[in-house]
């Protein structure tokens, strides 16, 4: 932007906030041997992302099992039955969204 004084204001497009790094949860210090739920929201590419995440969890983090579930549609809450099943069967659940 040019001001009346003839100067130019330069904007820096980099984000101002530095993301906070978090350590491992004391409640779940490792994924090895755990049952991990993946909940897909049916948006474009969510399935591709979660299938790759499943591979990584099994091969690199030695997850015991990965349970894959889907919402009926991204615009509605997840069915109670689906959530109840994931809570009962899994140690942790990842809700994957994409576009």
């Amino acid at each position: 932007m040019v001001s009346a004084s003839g100067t130019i204001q330069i904007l820096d497009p980099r984000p101002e906030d530095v993301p906070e790094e978090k350590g491992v949860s004391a409640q779940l210090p490792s994924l090895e041997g755990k049952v991990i739920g993946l909940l897909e929201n049916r948006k474009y590419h969510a399935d591709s992302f979660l299938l790759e995440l499943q591979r990584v969890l099994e091969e690199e983090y030695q997850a015991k099992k990965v349970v894959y579930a889907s919402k009926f549609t991204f615009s509605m809450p997840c069915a109670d039955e689906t959530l109840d099943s994931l809570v009962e069967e899994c140690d942790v659940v990842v809700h994957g969204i994409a576009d």
Side-chain angles (χ1 to χ4, degrees):
M1 168 188 301
V2 178
S3 68
S5 65
T7 61
I8 297 174
Q9 179 183 8
I10 298 176
L11 302 175
D12 185 350
R14 295 177 293 182
E16 294 178 19
D17 295 337
V18 176
E20 180 183 348
E21 290 188 28
K22 301 228 176 201
V24 200
S25 169
Q27 294 177 320
L28 192 69
S30 171
L31 298 178
E32 185 175 349
K34 302 295 185 205
V35 177
I36 301 169
L38 300 179
L39 178 59
E40 181 208 324
N41 71 343
R42 299 273 176 139
K43 283 197 164 197
Y44 190 61
H45 291 309
D47 58 341
S48 301
F49 169 74
L50 289 177
L51 288 173
E52 178 62 17
L53 179 58
Q54 177 176 353
R55 184 194 66 74
V56 169
L57 291 169
E58 292 172 339
E59 294 177 11
E60 297 181 27
Y61 291 90
Q62 292 76 46
K64 176 181 178 181
K65 179 180 175 184
V66 175
V67 177
Y68 196 94
S70 297
K71 290 174 57 176
F72 179 70
T73 178
F74 65 87
S75 62
M76 298 294 293
C78 188
D80 289 340
E81 299 82 32
T82 303
L83 292 176
D84 291 343
S85 175
L86 288 169
V87 167
E88 184 176 313
E89 190 174 358
C90 303
D91 297 299
V92 64
V93 176
V94 176
H95 182 206
I97 58 173
D99 265 332

